[in-house]
Amino acid sequence: MTLAVGSPEISLRALRLGVNIDHVATIRNARGEGYPDPTRAAEIALAAGADGITAHLREDRRHISDADIEALAALTRRRGRPLNFEMAVTREMEAIALAHRPHAACLVPEHREEVTTEGGLDVAGQHNRVAPTIEALKAAGIRVSLFIESAGDQIAAAHAVGAQVIELHTGAYCLAVRERRLEAPRLLAALSEGAAQAEALGLEVHAGHGIDYETVGAIAAIPQIAELNIGHFLMGEAIFSGLSPAIRRMRALMDAARGSTA
Ligand code: PXP
């Protein structure tokens, strides 16, 4: 099944896979070299079954660079595939998004000391801070997604502030599964309830963070979810199996969970 989403030239599947290529840049930057190239990884990801590419330009540029975003914007435009630009809510990032006009922008919280994006954006507590950025991005034709915890007040606030999409933070659930903690089913139920609440409000639902082969099935089985964004685990697996096989396997697990090969 395909769905027309956003730009008319982009036709997409019912459960899409966005591959986050940030950590190709992490490896490149560890040596200050020009390789491995995240754009090459994006090409391979699209050929292997990714529906779109996700990249996070962090304020400290620890992985993806401004030049990477320029190259990824050009590549995804050429291929007619969506670029999901993850960004902090700052004037600098807003200006970069407006310059490149990606298909979507996902607003995330960002703290310089964190190893990765810890927790979701506090939309309920920061309405006045996020609202102007959402308005500016939407006015430029960019679909706005908010990366939030699956909590009723955050979902309601995301809707009230005019976001078209929410991305549910799956990190706590995935970690609980990996650590074999008893709270994993409760965290999965919270994701499921949040997805249903969001869809009832007319929001498109995405999910991401920490997803691996073990956790993807239960998340993909939540019927309201339209897109998964997956990065770190895939890049780790790519070391052992290659990037294309890792993405193909993830895609197959997603399709199996949905009972389709669409
Ligand atoms: N979605 C969002 C909003 C993120 O910030 C990240 C991490 O950059 C991901 C998805 C992908 O998470 P992971 O790399 O753990 O798969």
Side-chain angles (χ1 to χ4, degrees):
M1 178 180 173
T2 59
L3 296 176
V5 177
S7 324
E9 71 275 13
I10 296 178
S11 169
L12 299 166
R13 287 185 278 214
L15 178 60
R16 306 184 302 268
L17 171 60
V19 170
N20 180 315
I21 44 74
D22 291 352
H23 297 297
V24 178
T26 303
I27 295 173
R28 175 192 64 195
N29 296 359
R31 284 281 291 268
E33 292 279 0
Y35 67 86
D37 177 7
T39 309
R40 183 175 166 203
E43 292 258 25
I44 291 168
L46 293 174
D51 297 282
I53 298 300
T54 292
H56 184 179
L57 183 67
R58 293 189 73 103
E59 289 184 270
D60 63 9
R61 310 300 199 269
R62 71 175 69 157
H63 38 56
I64 292 294
S65 68
D66 296 67
D68 291 329
I69 291 297
E70 193 170 337
L72 291 167
L75 168 70
T76 49
R77 199 164 292 121
R78 268 199 317 278
R79 295 275 181 270
R81 296 277 100 195
L83 174 64
N84 177 33
F85 178 65
E86 291 179 1
M87 54 175 271
V89 185
T90 66
R91 299 299 288 269
E92 182 200 17
M93 290 302 150
E94 183 182 313
I96 292 169
L98 294 176
H100 291 296
R101 294 182 184 240
H103 173 74
C106 181
L107 307 188
V108 302
E110 207 173 289
H111 310 290
R112 279 178 190 263
E113 328 72 56
E114 71 191 0
V115 177
T116 182
T117 312
E118 293 165 1
L121 193 66
D122 179 16
V123 191
Q126 300 188 358
H127 179 281
N128 293 344
R129 196 169 83 83
V130 298
T133 300
I134 293 172
E135 275 317 302
L137 295 172
K138 281 172 66 179
I142 301 169
R143 265 172 91 71
V144 177
S145 169
L146 304 181
F147 186 49
I148 58 173
E149 299 292 337
S150 190
D153 60 337
Q154 298 296 345
I155 295 165
H159 175 251
V161 80
Q164 294 125 313
V165 181
I166 57 161
E167 180 165 328
L168 296 176
H169 197 313
T170 52
Y173 165 67
C174 294
L175 190 61
V177 170
R178 271 194 287 282
E179 294 181 349
R180 305 284 177 250
R181 277 191 272 120
L182 293 176
E183 62 183 330
R186 179 180 62 75
L187 294 168
L188 181 63
L191 290 168
S192 185
E193 284 159 25
Q197 178 191 348
E199 189 188 61
L201 289 169
L203 292 161
E204 183 172 302
V205 186
H206 299 177
H209 212 285
I211 297 174
D212 60 12
Y213 293 149
E214 184 180 10
T215 48
V216 70
I219 297 168
I222 298 172
Q224 296 87 0
I225 293 179
E227 178 174 309
L228 301 182
N229 285 300
I230 310 179
H232 188 255
F233 176 81
L234 283 174
M235 298 309 148
E237 277 303 294
I239 294 170
F240 303 109
S241 68
L243 186 53
S244 293
I247 291 170
R248 285 186 209 286
R249 182 165 170 202
M250 189 64 83
R251 179 77 246 178
L253 290 167
M254 288 166 59
D255 291 341
R258 279 288 166 102
S260 83
T261 52

